[in-house]
Amino acid sequence: MSIFLLRLSVFLILFTSILWGVERLVTYELTTSNEVYFDNWNELKLLKKKPDVLIIGNSRAWIHYNTDILDSLLENETYNLGMDGMTSIQQEYRYKYYRQFNSKPKLIIFNVDDETYYNRKEILQPQQYFPYLDDSLISSQCIRMGLFPMRVYFPPVRYFEADICFEAMWRCLTNTPCDESVRKRKGFLGFDRPWNEATYKQIISKNLIAKFDPSLMKRHELFLQSLRNEGIELLLVFAPQFVDYTKHIAHHSTILLYYQNLAKRLGAGFWDYSQSDYSKSKDNFFEQHHMNLSASNRYSIEIGKRIKESQILN
Amino acid sequence: MIFNSLEFLFFLPIVFALYWLLNNKRLVIQNALLLIASYYFYQCWDYRFLFLLVFSTLLDYVSGIKIEEANNIKNKKIWFWLSISFNLGFLGVFKYYNFFAESFTDLLVGIGFKVDLWTLKVILPVGISFYTFHGLSYIIDIYNGRIKATRNFIDYSVFVSFFPLLVAGPIERATHLLPQIQKKRKFDFQLAADGMRQILWGLFKKMVIADNCATYVNDYFDHPGDVSGDKLMIGAIFFAFQIYGDFSGYSDIALGTAKLFGIRLLKNFAFPYFSRDISEFWRRWHISLSSWFRDYLYFPLGGSKLGKKRAIINTLIIFTVSGFWHGANWTFIAWGVANALLFIPLLVFDLNRINIDTIGENRRFPLITDLLKMGITFFIVCLLWVLFRSDNLNQAFQIYSGIFSKDVIWAPFWILYKKPFYFILVMLLFEWFNRSKDHGLQIDGIKSTALRWVAYLFILHFIFIYGAKSQEFIYFQF
């Protein structure tokens, strides 16, 4: 019995030590790489020009706001912090992480929608967070959203079942170039994809309800208020979404009213594009929430011009 | 609590430590610990079904004693049929009532009646098919005078509820397991070490093979009408490995866990995809169930002793019942019948026992002819699994029509681009070189400890990196 336990312990210690070494190697490679997913975070530490305009939101933010176009129209540096599936609280943490390395911007465009205050209990693509779990800002919000805490507190198991991380590390070690077609440019990436009717039909066949969590709404308002107190201009924008889809969402008008009142309380602007001309044609979208590249570019031009006209940045 | 969960990672060492700490105490205390651990393990799914399990155990325990003590054949029969009726009654109500009610409704509606039969809205108690079969085998063996009824309720309860086999087998026999429970166990280093290896191998098969294949299978088979023939063929191949990895992986973990407690369970799989014909496949797949049906259904029906014609009918019966045992759905019945139809020609021409040796015995690699036979058998088995996987017969036919389209010629090419294909190759290599042993990682023949440890680390690295999102074990639903 004692020999069995001794051998088992030695094997487990050896295995854990190897895992620890591997964890350090993967973390080092990924936190210094420009690999897709991880450049979302690594780039924030390395921005040469400090942005004056930030865009914050979920995938609708990074797909719709072309930073190059906004740069040239606003004559100010812009950066898009949008990431997939980010709820209001994750957006807040991402902004705080950004501020660890960068100064405050003049203007923040918050892309809001029907899901901004949905209290999601799982993280989309959690593997992209693993190399940054030593950062308490990131780890605390990941645990809050259901990440298994052992990944944070016991690093040898951090990359358990994280094949994307290992594959990315392998590409780093072998200097294999990443797929440039999926790389974001200053946080923006547009897609030239056609409308997918089959998927759309499946989605609208379900019961669509905007789920707002009051505690998230309250917290978000406090966060936005703190930004206003710092003297940062805020703009809430409801980006275009396919109008037929919007008809299926219960309480959409109530949501819009909430954003209008919120903007009023904050002394910020609220621009609603959910009923705009962009929203009326399927040709502008590849799915109900996301416009294709050419529509995103046109939309970015309109947003840029409108900001300029409104002189928010002056 | 499933075997590949964090809860089990804590549960197992605690029970293991307590179990061997109690080794110097009375056997009854050690068995009581196993029983408490097993009941705790079971109630983690749904504590309400624990009452059903305890009732079923108590009934069979009492029936066993009453059958043995009966002073006339009439009393013996009363207790025997009482136990059988209750056992099959529970199974019928929980597992099959809705199937019969719905099928009967469909039939009546089909001939023009307007009916709306009452269906039960209950979930299937996990493991009911397995522990019911434990109880049945015990009662039948006592009735036939093969074993003596045990007077120790704890021993009998552990036999029915021993946690490694409680929810998905292997289906044990009282003649095999009960004597081990009634005897004091000694810690056996070799047995425990092999148990750990077998657990590791089971986890690899479940988390790397089955769960990775499942992602593709679900993707391809959930909407077969929208998927090309080559993908459906790849889906069929991956499902064959998913169900093998899932079920044999579970069995390996169960057998390995039992070995840690000094108990040997019945072997459930013997590398079935190395079979050269369908009858060999059925001697190697879910062995504890096949042998259960052989001993308690096929033989009592006369087996093959009453002539070819009767043997054919009996074969058809046991395959159909076996299919139905897997689930209350016409797809399972069709799967059972299809297997019987492929098995019967071998029986008719006395070819069903020509491949009983280990394939490629004393050879490193198989002969070309054996390889061909294995390939053909595997292809047939894959096609049959489609019935098993489908929600209904329409979906199965939709998949078959895709598989037999011209697109299928691209399957051998596209499968090379799928990650699970390479995991499967690793598994097959290990299993091939250990095909005469109990499991694919039984590498105790390698003298060098360092080499063995490298092999364990190699397998662990797959589990660690490529283990896919955990899916529940398929056989839990049965």
Side-chain angles (χ1 to χ4, degrees), chain B residues 216 220 228-235 237-238 407-422:
Chain B
Y216 288 90
Y220 295 161
S228 58
D230 52 335
K231 283 184 176 166
L232 291 173
M233 186 67 236
I234 292 171
I237 293 169
F238 281 177
D407 289 344
V408 81
I409 56 164
W410 297 107
F413 173 72
W414 286 119
I415 201 169
L416 300 176
Y417 287 86
K418 313 286 181 219
K419 229 175 346 188
F421 174 74
Y422 296 95

Side-chain angles (χ1 to χ4, degrees), chain A residues 187-294:
Chain A
F188 165 76
L189 180 64
F191 292 107
D192 250 335
R193 290 177 184 163
W195 172 258
N196 187 335
E197 185 67 22
T199 313
Y200 178 66
K201 276 186 180 161
Q202 257 181 21
I203 288 166
I204 56 166
S205 67
K206 293 171 193 160
N207 200 14
L208 302 169
I209 299 169
K211 294 171 191 160
F212 270 39
D213 182 320
S215 66
L216 289 191
M217 293 159 89
K218 202 171 170 184
R219 180 173 174 146
H220 194 229
E221 184 167 349
L222 288 173
F223 168 56
L224 297 184
Q225 192 61 60
S226 70
L227 297 175
R228 287 294 287 136
N229 294 343
E230 278 189 81
I232 299 169
E233 292 295 337
L234 302 180
L235 185 55
L236 310 185
V237 183
F238 201 120
Q241 75 181 15
F242 184 41
V243 75
D244 182 57
Y245 168 80
T246 306
K247 279 182 206 159
H248 290 86
I249 302 230
H251 318 306
H252 178 71
S253 51
T254 318
I255 292 159
L256 290 181
L257 193 64
Y258 173 77
Y259 286 132
Q260 269 170 13
N261 291 333
L262 176 67
K264 214 178 272 176
R265 289 197 295 275
L266 295 166
F270 173 59
W271 297 347
D272 172 29
Y273 283 86
S274 65
Q275 310 290 330
S276 66
D277 286 345
Y278 295 99
S279 301
K280 287 173 186 160
S281 170
K282 262 183 205 172
D283 297 340
N284 289 327
F285 294 85
F286 61 87
E287 46 110 308
Q288 68 281 356
H289 294 143
H290 298 123
M291 289 193 289
N292 55 38
L293 179 60
S294 86

Side-chain angles (χ1 to χ4, degrees), chain B residues 242-262:
Chain B
Q242 182 196 344
I243 193 157
Y244 174 61
D246 192 282
F247 192 24
S248 76
Y250 176 90
S251 295
D252 277 333
I253 300 169
L255 267 75
T257 305
K259 283 177 183 174
L260 291 178
F261 294 91

Side-chain angles (χ1 to χ4, degrees), chain B residues 17 37 56 63 70 72 99-100 124 134 153 195 203 218 220 283 300 329-330 370-371 398 422 438-439 447 455-456 468:
Chain B
S56 168
S63 304
N72 60 55
F99 170 75
F100 284 119
L124 182 66
H134 284 155
F153 182 66
L203 287 172
N218 296 342
Y220 295 161
R283 283 193 297 276
N329 193 329
W330 288 105
D370 282 344
L371 205 58
Q398 220 174 3
Y422 296 95
D438 283 347
H439 58 89
K447 292 278 175 283
Y456 306 148

Side-chain angles (χ1 to χ4, degrees), chain B residues 190-206:
Chain B
Q190 294 301 340
L191 190 65
D194 195 50
M196 290 299 291
R197 276 192 286 267
Q198 198 160 3
I199 291 172
L200 182 61
W201 189 240
L203 287 172
F204 170 77
K205 287 203 276 189
K206 167 64 183 156

Side-chain angles (χ1 to χ4, degrees), chain B residues 12 15-16 19-20 34 162-163 185 257-263:
Chain B
L12 182 59
V15 179
F16 175 82
Y19 178 82
W20 289 113
L34 275 189
F162 184 38
F163 71 89
R185 276 85 62 183
T257 305
K259 283 177 183 174
L260 291 178
F261 294 91
I263 291 171

